[in-house]
């Protein structure tokens, strides 16, 4: 019998300088992907798989990964993961890579090396008969949400939105590509490390269905437009499977550096959140 399993994982933050055992961390993700490859038709990487990923103008990306030395130095530590992705796409498994807010900056190199399909925007797709809205989740703000918050929280969110706009700005992206990779990476990994350290010391818990942005955002979509069976997000590093009144479900995938969660959808369109031991 042909299997039609579809898998979802996000927020591994591979390469994070806040991790104590980065190689084991990467290996754990490689092993998860290998087990998925046994029966997957598609794997959706829902953002922030890398803690920082920037493709510089100085680098050339090979379409064969047989020789480590062909991989640009700034990406060589990711060779096991890149090879695993290549193996899956060579086998005919669709691997979809949604950019997160840490790995926005792929300009063709990752696709060339691994064969993944890169998504820079949220997508609405029908998967195993279910309508799915897929997004990393950053930048989705429900109407009136910011104004409803205390002033200090509003400032924080506005700062994130400004930074996000800057990170997505094509001119800024183009200019940063000229930075020498060792300098760009030193800056990028330090920026990312700080946010991980802050989070590990003080995780941001689920705010409840009346306060969690992505839940409010999904409810607003449900009220306005066509019904969606599943809203699948990453970004928040919380594990959530919430049934909305409209019969839609909001699934937030958790993360793959602390909770090691992922989700799968079987051939009947049944979606389940799970975790690695
Ligand atoms: Mn993340």
């Amino acid at each position: 019998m042909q299997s039609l399993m579809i898998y979802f994982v996000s927020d591994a933050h591979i390469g994070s300088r806040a991790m104590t055992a980065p190689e084991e961390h990467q290996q754990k993700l490689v092993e998860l992907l290998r087990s998925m490859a046994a029966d997957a038709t598609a794997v959706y990487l829902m953002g922030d798989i890398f803690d920082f990923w920037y493709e510089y103008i100085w680098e050339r990306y090979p379409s064969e990964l047989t020789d480590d030395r062909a991989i640009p130095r700034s990406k060589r530590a990711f060779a096991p993961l890149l090879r695993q992705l290549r193996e899956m796409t060579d086998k005919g498994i669709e691997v979809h890579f949604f950019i997160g807010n840490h790995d926005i900056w792929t300009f063709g190199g990752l696709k060339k090396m691994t064969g993944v399909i890169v998504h820079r925007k949220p997508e609405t797709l029908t998967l195993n008969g279910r309508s799915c809205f897929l997004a990393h989740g950053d930048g989705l703000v429900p109407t009136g949400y910011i104004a409803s918050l205390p002033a200090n929280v509003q400032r924080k969110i506005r700062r994130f939105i400004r930074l996000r706009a800057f990170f997505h700005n094509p001119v800024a992206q183009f200019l940063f590509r000229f930075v020498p990779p060792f300098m760009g990476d030193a800056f990028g990994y330090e920026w990312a490390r700080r946010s991980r350290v802050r989070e590990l010391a003080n995780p941001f818990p689920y705010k409840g269905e009346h306060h969690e942005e992505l839940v409010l955002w999904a409810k607003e979509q449900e009220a306005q437009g066509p019904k969606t069976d599943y809203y699948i997000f990453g970004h928040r590093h919380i594990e959530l499977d919430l049934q909305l009144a409209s019969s839609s479900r909001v699934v937030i995938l958790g993360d793959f550096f602390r909770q090691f969660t992922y989700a799968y959808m079987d051939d009947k369109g049944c979606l389940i959140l799970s975790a690695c031991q």
Side-chain angles (χ1 to χ4, degrees):
M1 191 192 83
Q2 202 206 349
S3 180
L4 295 166
M5 295 293 277
I6 299 175
Y7 292 92
F8 306 86
V9 62
S10 78
D11 296 275
H13 290 269
I14 297 297
S16 169
R17 310 249 157 117
M19 305 297 164
T20 45
E23 281 157 31
E24 285 86 339
H25 178 215
Q26 179 173 191
Q27 199 49 40
K28 199 171 165 99
L29 181 62
V30 168
E31 274 155 29
L32 176 77
L33 292 169
R34 189 171 295 146
S35 68
M36 290 173 172
D39 62 359
T41 51
V43 174
Y44 286 83
L45 305 173
M46 294 307 304
D48 287 1
I49 293 302
F50 298 101
D51 202 40
F52 185 68
W53 180 280
Y54 213 107
E55 293 173 10
Y56 301 94
I57 209 92
W58 318 108
E59 299 179 330
R60 293 292 164 269
Y61 303 94
S63 51
E64 297 280 333
L65 297 175
T66 38
D67 183 0
D68 266 17
R69 287 165 306 179
I71 303 172
R73 196 169 300 151
S74 75
K75 309 291 180 282
R76 215 168 280 167
F78 303 132
L81 177 56
L82 299 174
R83 282 210 180 90
Q84 178 58 34
L85 295 172
R86 178 94 245 171
E87 203 180 302
M88 292 160 81
T89 60
D90 281 350
K91 228 180 117 180
I93 300 168
E94 281 179 25
V95 181
H96 296 265
F97 183 94
F98 281 69
I99 62 166
N101 52 311
H102 286 249
D103 45 16
I104 302 164
W105 306 280
T106 173
F107 308 108
L110 181 67
K111 178 176 189 286
K112 191 172 175 205
M113 286 192 284
T114 63
V116 299
I117 301 158
V118 175
H119 299 270
R120 310 192 70 87
K121 292 262 154 54
E123 301 275 5
T124 304
L125 301 169
T126 302
L127 303 177
N128 289 356
R130 305 296 172 122
S131 57
C132 300
F133 179 88
L134 305 175
H136 180 58
D138 63 312
L140 300 178
V141 183
T143 313
Y145 173 73
I146 297 176
S148 73
L149 299 167
N152 61 324
V153 184
Q154 284 195 26
R155 270 198 298 277
K156 240 195 236 167
I157 294 188
R158 293 220 163 87
R159 203 181 310 137
F160 180 83
I161 292 172
R162 272 200 305 275
L163 191 66
R164 186 179 186 277
F166 175 69
F167 282 171
H168 282 259
N169 180 288
V171 177
Q173 288 183 348
F174 179 71
L175 292 176
F176 198 85
R177 295 191 71 191
F178 287 88
V179 171
F182 79 93
M183 275 169 74
D185 279 1
F187 167 81
Y189 282 106
E190 179 56 19
W191 158 73
R193 187 189 68 83
R194 286 185 191 189
S195 78
R196 242 13 10 79
V197 166
R198 257 200 315 274
E199 181 192 354
L200 288 167
N202 191 12
F204 313 119
Y206 177 46
K207 290 183 262 189
E209 81 169 283
H210 302 293
H211 299 282
E212 189 66 47
E213 290 101 299
L214 292 173
V215 173
L216 295 173
W217 193 87
K219 285 182 180 177
E220 188 175 62
Q221 296 303 301
E222 282 301 286
Q224 287 172 355
K227 303 289 176 226
T228 299
D229 294 318
Y230 302 131
Y231 290 86
I232 302 174
F233 301 114
H235 188 51
R236 275 288 281 118
H237 306 178
I238 57 171
E239 197 185 349
L240 178 74
D241 186 349
L242 180 73
Q243 176 89 56
L244 300 183
S246 61
S247 95
S248 297
R249 269 162 69 196
V250 178
V251 170
I252 304 183
L253 294 166
D255 66 60
F256 208 80
F257 62 90
R258 199 177 64 230
Q259 304 169 91
F260 300 102
T261 46
Y262 65 96
Y264 60 91
M265 194 195 290
D266 70 13
D267 52 357
K268 302 196 176 53
C270 188
L271 181 66
I272 291 163
L273 258 175
S274 187
C276 291
Q277 287 320 300

